[in-house]
Amino acid sequence: MHELQRQIVRCFLLLGCCLLCNTSVAQSQLQAGEPPFDSAYSNELYRAYIALGARPSDEDIRLHTDMFIPLMSDDENLLFADIRGQFADVGGGEGNAGLAFRHLFEDEWIWGVYGFYDLKQSGNGNWFSQGTLGTELLSAHYELRGNLYIPESGAEEVIAPTAVISNGNLVVQNNEERAYHGFDLEAGALLWRAQKWCDSEIRGFAGTYYFDTDSSSARTVAGPRLRAEWRSYDLPWMGQDSRLTVGAQYQHDDVRGGQTAAILTMRLPLGSDRGRTRRRTYMQRRMTDVIVRDIDVVTRPTPTPDGEEVALHAEQNFAIGSVTMLDADTDDLVAAVAAATTDTIIIDGAAGEVITTDSIIVPSGQNLLGGGFMVRGAATGIIATVGTPTQLYGSDETQSVIVASDNTRIGHFDIEGGLHGISSYNGATYDDLTNVQIFSNRVSVADDSGFRFAALDSASSLSLNRAAWNSGSGFEIDDNNATLTQNTSQDNAFSGFYLTSNDGTLSTNRAMENGEYGFVIGANYGDVTENEATENRFAGFAVVYNEGLFSENESTDNASEGFRITTNNGTVSENFAFDNFLDGFWFEDNYDTISDNTSYENYGNGFVFNDSSGSIVDNYSGRNSFAGFVFRNNFGDFNDNTSQQNGSDGFDFSNNAATMTGNSAIENTDDGYDFSGNYGTFSGNFALSNLNDGFQFYRNDDQMTGNIASDNLEDGFYFNQNNSLFDDNYASGNYDDGIDMVENFGTVSNNLSIENLDEGYTGTNSGFTSNNTGYDNEGGGDTF
């Protein structure tokens, strides 16, 4: 019994004890015989009352109120209204309005008839109504009654479907909630009475009930019912006509099983004469007994006729087919799995955690599923849940808990312990697998990697899995050709994902707080897209060799680089590095395209390239602690990149031997561009508001045309030595010289330097100059 039920029972019992212990007043009112009936008081015999009660049961707790309202009465007849209401803690409620007539025969027998209109909202939110007709025969010692329940025709509403086994196959069963028609019969007898104890008595009842519907798929609800009640009347402090009822009821049928309920009710009379001392006769008091009937409209979920649909896995979209059901109580579960011949084996968690010392080896071609997953009907798409979530524990750290085979599906397990949670380990080595699907599993506290495989083919997939607190990596695959999507790896001792080679697809996976790298890929030939690495101890992504697509990944808050790619021969695009402890992106050798990536607020450099001959375009580096872009030998095109508000240079190049066009350096703490040597075309670049020189070149040996340096805190252009063409460049508003060439051995022509705070042009010219102009420079030098 729930705690709330226990509290309600305790309160009513304590109240009853207090009332029964105070018997002095009651004994003064009770005599050896009943007082004679006096017709002068007949209009006062039957007063309205309200009853408040609770009905705790093993299914729910119901609170109810009943109101008795006399309408017409004389010495032998009583016409009254009976109005009731109740609600359950599990949801739903009901109201009943009835009209009843009782006739007293010579103060010995009472015959009554009544009718009710019942309106119910079920726990499923459906509304039902019915009519109830009943009759009763009461005496001082015995009673007999019967009721007929007539719901509105067609009273049925759709409710949640269920997954059931039909003819050995798992199907989705459409359900409806129906109101049942039926009847009940009951006989009762007085078992004990003690007038000196508030005229208390015990009555016992036995009866039967029968309910059915016109649905061919519904089951008849029928069985016995037993009830016992302790009643105490005219309670001290409560007044005449008050009543306390404490009881218990038990009933049983094949549909609902055994049902036990407590009965706790307090009746309080209404009216201005509650303190009267005159009492009714025993049978007159019986005229106000509560009408006994079924407490509510009987409704049940029932299968819809011909409502079975083939069950498809709701997420993975395969047919469940024939099933074998196992659980913690199964003798030798490992052997039972190996011997199963059905399409799907379900290890359900209802019986508790499954502990295994041997590996559960999934037979080839079968599905192994834990409970608690959803299926949908193949015809309508309706959803139902199968079983209870399953926990597996592997007690042997030298064996994997589940071992996959070719053409298998494994899903919906919470696995702890073992060498691995799910793997292809055969006891000596790791098998290559084809066409396996591993989904919606959680693996933790394995002695090695959580998920571990040798080779997975392109028909295989891992999705929606989680690996946490394992002693190796979360996911480890030697040769991956499979699709890995929406997996999470967290707090593993090594890396989140460790792939020696990848020809498959990694997308929308997450690696968080692992002891080494978020993602490690030895050689990537596949697609790595939309993955996330966060707060790992080393780099978020570490790729030794990339020849595939590496796109739209995010690396944040890692303790080393965001992305570390040693050799790139593929496309690296639209990735995002934020707040990593070292560089946002680090490349050793780049031979292909690096485009549209963002490096922001990392504690090292934004981008680092050691030897690049690929194309680097449209990347953004902002607010990193050191340089935006660092190059050691660039031989590829470098176009339309932006470096803004970094803690050192915007672009720091040791040697550039390729075309650099359309790049922007804005508000960096040191130079916008800092070149040891330029041997390629440098045109159309911008340096704006940097805190040192806009462009600083140790040596230029190729053409520089159409570049703009504006509002930098030192020189717009500063050259230690220019040996090539410097043409059509623009310097304005810089806080020192516009163009400062320590030595010029090349051609300087068609440049414009204006409004700088020192000279427009300065330096030693040993080359050729023409058409250079300037004005409003505070230090003069308006030509070179």
Side-chain angles (χ1 to χ4, degrees), residues 1 30 37 162 196 260 304 324 543 595 627 633 735 759 775:
M1 186 176 291
L30 293 174
F37 175 71
T162 53
K196 64 180 181 179
T260 303
T304 303
T324 298
V543 181
S595 66
N633 301 322
Y735 285 58
E759 298 180 89
Y775 57 85

Side-chain angles (χ1 to χ4, degrees), residues 569-703:
N569 276 288
T571 299
V572 179
S573 66
E574 299 181 72
N575 302 286
F576 182 73
F578 171 72
D579 201 32
N580 298 285
F581 193 73
L582 294 181
D583 305 321
F585 293 81
W586 186 93
F587 295 86
E588 181 66 32
D589 293 294
N590 173 50
Y591 303 100
D592 212 313
T593 302
I594 312 292
S595 66
D596 297 292
N597 302 285
T598 298
S599 184
Y600 192 72
E601 289 190 351
N602 300 285
Y603 290 89
N605 302 294
F607 293 80
V608 175
F609 293 87
N610 294 312
D611 294 320
S612 175
S613 58
S615 177
I616 301 172
V617 296
D618 291 311
N619 301 285
Y620 178 84
S621 183
R623 299 183 65 174
N624 299 285
S625 296
F626 293 100
F629 293 80
V630 175
F631 276 78
R632 302 293 180 262
N633 301 322
N634 176 48
F635 302 96
D637 292 339
F638 189 86
N639 304 325
D640 300 311
N641 302 284
T642 299
S643 185
Q644 185 174 14
Q645 295 182 337
N646 296 287
S648 182
D649 300 322
F651 300 89
D652 185 347
F653 278 70
S654 291
N655 291 291
N656 174 50
T659 299
M660 294 187 65
T661 62
N663 303 287
S664 298
I666 305 169
E667 299 177 348
N668 297 286
T669 304
D670 203 343
D671 302 320
Y673 299 78
D674 188 339
F675 278 67
S676 295
N678 178 50
Y679 308 98
T681 299
F682 192 89
S683 64
N685 301 288
F686 299 83
L688 309 174
S689 302
N690 298 285
L691 302 189
N692 204 342
D693 299 324
F695 298 86
Q696 183 184 85
F697 283 72
Y698 177 78
R699 178 178 177 135
N700 176 47
D701 286 277
D702 209 323
Q703 59 181 340

